[in-house]
Amino acid sequence: MFDTLYECFWSDSLWLPVGLTWADLEDKEGRVYAKASNLYVTLPYALAFLLIRYLFERWIATPLAVSAGIKQRVYLKAEENSILEFYYTTQCRNPAQVDIDGLSKKSSLSTRQVERWFRRRRRQDRPGVLKKFTEASWRFVFYLSAFIGGMVALHDKEWLYDTREVWTGFPKQTMLESQYWYYILEMSFYGCLLFSVAFDVKRKDFKEQIIHHLATLVLLSFSWCANYIRVGTLVMLIHDASDVFLESAKLFNYAKWEKTCKTLFVLFAIVFMVTRLIIFPFWLIHCTWVYPVLYYPAFFGYYFFNTMLVVLLCLHIFWAYLILRMIRKFMFGTLTKDERSDNEEEDGDESSSTQDEVEQRHKPAGSLVADKKYDKNGGSRSLSPPENICWSKTVC
């Protein structure tokens, strides 16, 4: 059964135009073709990228953030409470008033104490500016390096300037060494992003990011195996172009360089709209949709490849909508954060948390033990200070 599925998956009719077989793409006559087995190397390379990222963020990005004046705040920690923790992790991070009343009865705490516990617990999970800065630094360095490397690899290729040349001699197009490394490193990087998604900063477009990474990996893998490498390099190049400005704008935003941030954001918006909403659909998708059928009849791979490109285009439209929202805030207000940032926290959390900290700071040490709070039933009970309390402060 496995052999049957294997043969069906690698069927010539699925991957190649009519009249061609995998035997036609074997290395011969000085031509070297991409092979599916080459993709196995992206797994260890992705793990290597994780290690490089860890070292980069620790030894380069973090000192750079400190020199830019970025400090990480440490907030009061929520006291250990199994009932509230279970609700927080399984039900909701921001419970309604009815739920707070119920949790108050179950945990034997007042409603105010329950509200304070959830505020502090949410703040524990909120990523700090330092973490955001180091992540953006890593992505900026890669996208900049990838874009420069892509331009070096493609600047003298005729298909960069005339997309009809993408299909000249297809699929019997030899693979260049520059194309090999461009593909392998890009795929390894996106694999690294998938591996690190569990501990990266969560954003509102988290699901869309996962879909994007998976669609990109599927698209690149298919284009590699079917020898769509020329158009694949063009797709990677235009995607990296706008990402460079996005990540650099984030860096200056976190460092509070507002004028530089706004300038870079304007450049990012322009480059994004031009590359993702004009060049991508009207040049590249047009290139893959119109020109191939002039050389051979449409086949499954033709439809599959264009479908994946359309999926990416839909994601581009979604992100363009978020960018336009940011532009509106940029023009009529103050742009303070990425529209994709996770904003589950209420604006009142910070002021309430600050008030809690002020109350705790100005309370005599002995009164923490002797403090009596009356619950809603009129009773009172003694509160002792939490063992893991940590005063809010700034650290380098």
Side-chain angles (χ1 to χ4, degrees):
M1 180 179 178
F2 178 79
D3 294 337
T4 302
L5 292 175
Y6 181 85
E7 292 177 1
C8 291
F9 181 80
W10 292 108
S11 174
D12 299 335
S13 60
L14 292 180
W15 296 81
L16 302 174
V18 177
L20 291 173
T21 65
W22 290 114
D24 297 317
L25 297 183
E26 294 179 356
D27 297 347
K28 56 185 175 182
E29 299 177 358
R31 291 190 179 131
V32 178
Y33 298 105
K35 302 175 182 61
S37 58
N38 298 142
L39 298 180
Y40 292 132
V41 75
T42 59
L43 179 59
Y45 279 20
L47 297 176
F49 267 127
L50 285 176
L51 176 61
I52 295 173
R53 171 183 171 173
Y54 171 78
L55 297 176
F56 173 85
E57 291 184 355
R58 176 162 183 164
W59 300 108
I60 298 179
T62 299
L64 182 63
V66 173
S67 65
I70 297 175
K71 299 178 180 180
Q72 183 68 39
R73 294 197 68 184
V74 180
Y75 299 98
L76 289 168
K77 294 183 179 180
E79 301 177 38
E80 293 185 5
N81 190 304
S82 59
I83 296 176
L84 301 183
E85 182 67 25
F86 179 78
Y87 184 91
Y88 179 87
T89 56
T90 61
Q91 299 295 325
C92 178
R93 297 176 56 183
N94 199 359
Q97 187 61 46
V98 176
D99 298 321
I100 291 177
D101 293 338
L103 291 171
S104 175
K105 295 179 180 179
K106 291 181 180 179
S107 61
S108 300
L109 298 175
S110 67
T111 56
R112 177 175 174 79
Q113 289 173 315
V114 173
E115 291 171 350
R116 179 186 295 136
W117 188 94
F118 275 95
R119 282 198 301 269
R120 293 177 178 176
R121 186 64 181 84
R122 288 195 297 270
R123 292 187 70 84
Q124 285 180 217
D125 288 346
R126 178 185 289 183
V129 177
L130 182 61
K131 179 175 176 58
K132 294 179 179 179
F133 183 91
T134 56
E135 286 187 11
S137 299
W138 163 249
R139 290 193 296 267
F140 168 75
V141 169
F142 177 84
Y143 289 135
L144 180 61
S145 302
F147 180 74
I148 294 175
M151 288 301 300
V152 171
L154 297 175
H155 77 282
D156 59 346
K157 305 301 185 294
E158 57 273 14
W159 61 84
L160 177 63
Y161 311 100
D162 182 6
T163 53
R164 288 180 179 269
E165 292 296 326
V166 167
W167 307 107
T168 301
F170 176 85
K172 297 181 180 180
Q173 299 168 337
T174 186
M175 181 182 62
L176 305 177
E177 185 177 2
S178 58
Q179 293 173 327
Y180 172 86
W181 286 110
Y182 194 16
Y183 253 81
I184 294 299
L185 293 179
E186 283 274 358
M187 293 185 66
S188 301
F189 177 73
Y190 280 105
C192 171
L193 291 180
L194 279 179
F195 291 154
S196 62
V197 73
F199 53 84
D200 281 345
V201 175
K202 298 294 187 301
R203 303 185 185 278
K204 287 189 292 186
D205 65 342
F206 174 77
K207 294 180 180 179
E208 289 79 9
Q209 285 282 1
I210 295 296
I211 295 173
H212 175 268
H213 298 338
L214 290 175
T216 300
L217 287 172
V218 171
L219 185 66
L220 292 178
S221 299
F222 177 84
S223 63
W224 176 271
C225 296
N227 211 26
Y228 279 50
I229 293 180
R230 290 186 179 182
V231 69
T233 55
L234 297 180
V235 171
M236 291 187 292
L237 185 67
I238 66 168
H239 278 70
D240 291 336
S242 59
D243 289 335
V244 172
F245 292 101
L246 173 62
E247 300 303 334
S248 59
K250 289 180 182 180
L251 292 177
F252 285 102
N253 180 44
Y254 300 146
K256 305 300 183 183
W257 290 32
E258 294 186 3
K259 292 184 178 180
T260 306
C261 171
K262 291 180 179 180
T263 301
L264 289 171
F265 175 73
V266 171
L267 291 175
F268 159 71
I270 295 173
V271 174
F272 184 94
M273 299 299 176
V274 171
T275 58
R276 306 289 185 95
L277 299 184
I278 298 178
I279 295 179
F280 184 72
F282 297 108
W283 267 264
L284 295 187
I285 294 184
H286 178 269
C287 166
T288 61
W289 194 273
V290 176
Y291 296 153
V293 294
L294 300 178
Y295 297 90
Y296 51 80
F299 64 107
F300 173 80
Y302 164 84
Y303 293 112
F304 179 79
F305 188 76
N306 281 287
T307 299
M308 297 306 297
L309 290 179
V310 172
V311 170
L312 289 182
L313 178 60
C314 292
L315 292 173
H316 296 166
I317 295 173
F318 169 76
W319 283 318
Y321 163 73
L322 296 183
I323 292 172
L324 292 176
R325 288 181 57 181
M326 295 172 72
I327 291 176
R328 184 183 65 179
K329 290 186 178 182
F330 174 76
M331 295 178 63
F332 302 104
T334 302
L335 180 65
T336 59
K337 65 178 181 179
D338 186 351
E339 272 293 320
R340 299 177 305 152
S341 296
D342 186 1
N343 63 346
E344 290 183 8
E345 298 293 339
E346 298 291 341
D347 292 338
D349 275 2
E350 185 168 356
S351 59
S352 299
S353 178
T354 303
Q355 180 181 357
D356 293 341
E357 293 165 8
V358 170
E359 291 176 359
Q360 292 282 355
R361 284 187 176 188
H362 290 82
K363 188 174 294 186
S367 67
L368 284 173
V369 180
D371 186 21
K372 303 283 186 178
K373 282 189 177 288
Y374 290 88
D375 59 21
K376 55 188 176 184
N377 296 322
S380 64
R381 62 186 183 83
S382 176
L383 293 179
S384 59
E387 296 179 358
N388 60 344
I389 195 168
C390 179
W391 300 118
S392 176
K393 59 183 179 180
T394 57
V395 296
C396 295

